[in-house]
Amino acid sequence: MINLDYHSTTPCDPRVVQAMLPYFHEKFGNPSSTQHAFGREAAAAVRRARDQVANLINAYPQEIIFTSGATESNNLAITGVALLEIPGRRRIVTTKIEHKSVLETCHWAQRFGYEVELLDVDQTGRVNLDHAEQVITSETALVSVQAANNEIGTIQDIPALTQLAHERGALFHCDAAQAIGKIKVDVLEWNVDLMSLSGHKLYGPKGIGVLYLCGGKRGFPILPLMHGGGQEDGLRSGTLNVPAIVGLGEACRILDECWQDEAQRIMYLRDRFEEIIKKRYPDVVINGNKAYRLPGSSSITFPGIDAEVLMANTPDLAWSTGSACNSGALEPSHVLLAISKNRTRAYETMRVGIGRFTTQEDIDLAVDLIIGALERIQQLMSDLRKPSSA
Ligand code: PMP
């Protein structure tokens, strides 16, 4: 099985697994139990991990809040700001192509009186800055825009959007779950107020994430979703998941050392993949933005080919279609619908995600499997079109 689904999740790096293992049994302490050595040992491990995460994004350790993943971080950021009820600011601005954990949370905020406005994107998935300029006003409480898209890999101009939000006195949240470790993510350069990360998208474990909070709780008093023992500066009560936090820290340490070289290698593989497919099938459409795209990301539309059929004909490939099964019906992805009015295109689109453990042999074999499947499907379609001789 060849894994070309790195957007969905990444395998844990073996070094991450090694770093985590002692924290399940030998070093099992609760970091809040600092009266004894077990607790202090766990607290020290959490401190180290916090430093490692902060280092990767150019933040201070006290600005890192550990959560269960980017879904929770997005919920905490948006709901945490909405609950502040800043006078005169009852609007939240986001985009049409956000992850559901942002869109659904904004939708939820409508229940307590917020108006939600969705920014348009162009055909490449980039936010239309003119539209943003009109929509973000002095009544906006929060602007939430992802750094990079999980389906088409388009990278947004976060510094420009942050500046727009701040000029109008609004806060800015960025979902950087797909961007971290693939492009430079620097919270000071971006000037974001809040930012979400996820462990399992960067070769760390699942079930762990981060909300970056500019200036920490003291600088930025958002309200918590989880109430209890007051961990994470009162913003995320609950005993810390020490092994996962240690794993996330190690994953960030590794990325800090290697992300630039890794991104180059992965981009080479992605370009090779697309070139071979395009040479054989010149009418395929590569979605997303040529200049602003994640290095391992490829969203390809195969005109006239049903993506579900292509998927079924490539059983040795782990990749994904541009549609999802919602309540028994195949729904085209909201991202593909936002960049194209053509619904059919969404049903003909496949997503490829290349990552740390992908080799050139994997790419060449994957291309052979895809071309073989396309030839079989086209043959079958032309046989079906032939008039029957009976
Ligand atoms: N945001 C984006 C852009 C994502 O791609 C994902 C994961 N698909 C999430 C948020 C949710 O992350 P998690 O799985 O850590 O909750």
Side-chain angles (χ1 to χ4, degrees), residues 7-8 69-72 74 99 101 146 148 150 175 177-178 198 200-201:
H7 297 94
S8 151
T71 296
E72 185 186 331
N74 289 340
H99 189 261
S101 56
Q146 61 189 197
N150 48 309
D175 174 359
Q178 291 289 342
S198 173
H200 73 104
K201 308 286 185 187

Side-chain angles (χ1 to χ4, degrees), residues 284-307:
V284 298
V285 179
I286 309 286
N287 302 301
N289 189 293
K290 270 213 165 70
Y292 301 101
R293 188 157 61 123
L294 290 176
S297 202
S298 181
S299 165
I300 307 192
T301 305
F302 296 92
I305 303 287
D306 185 312

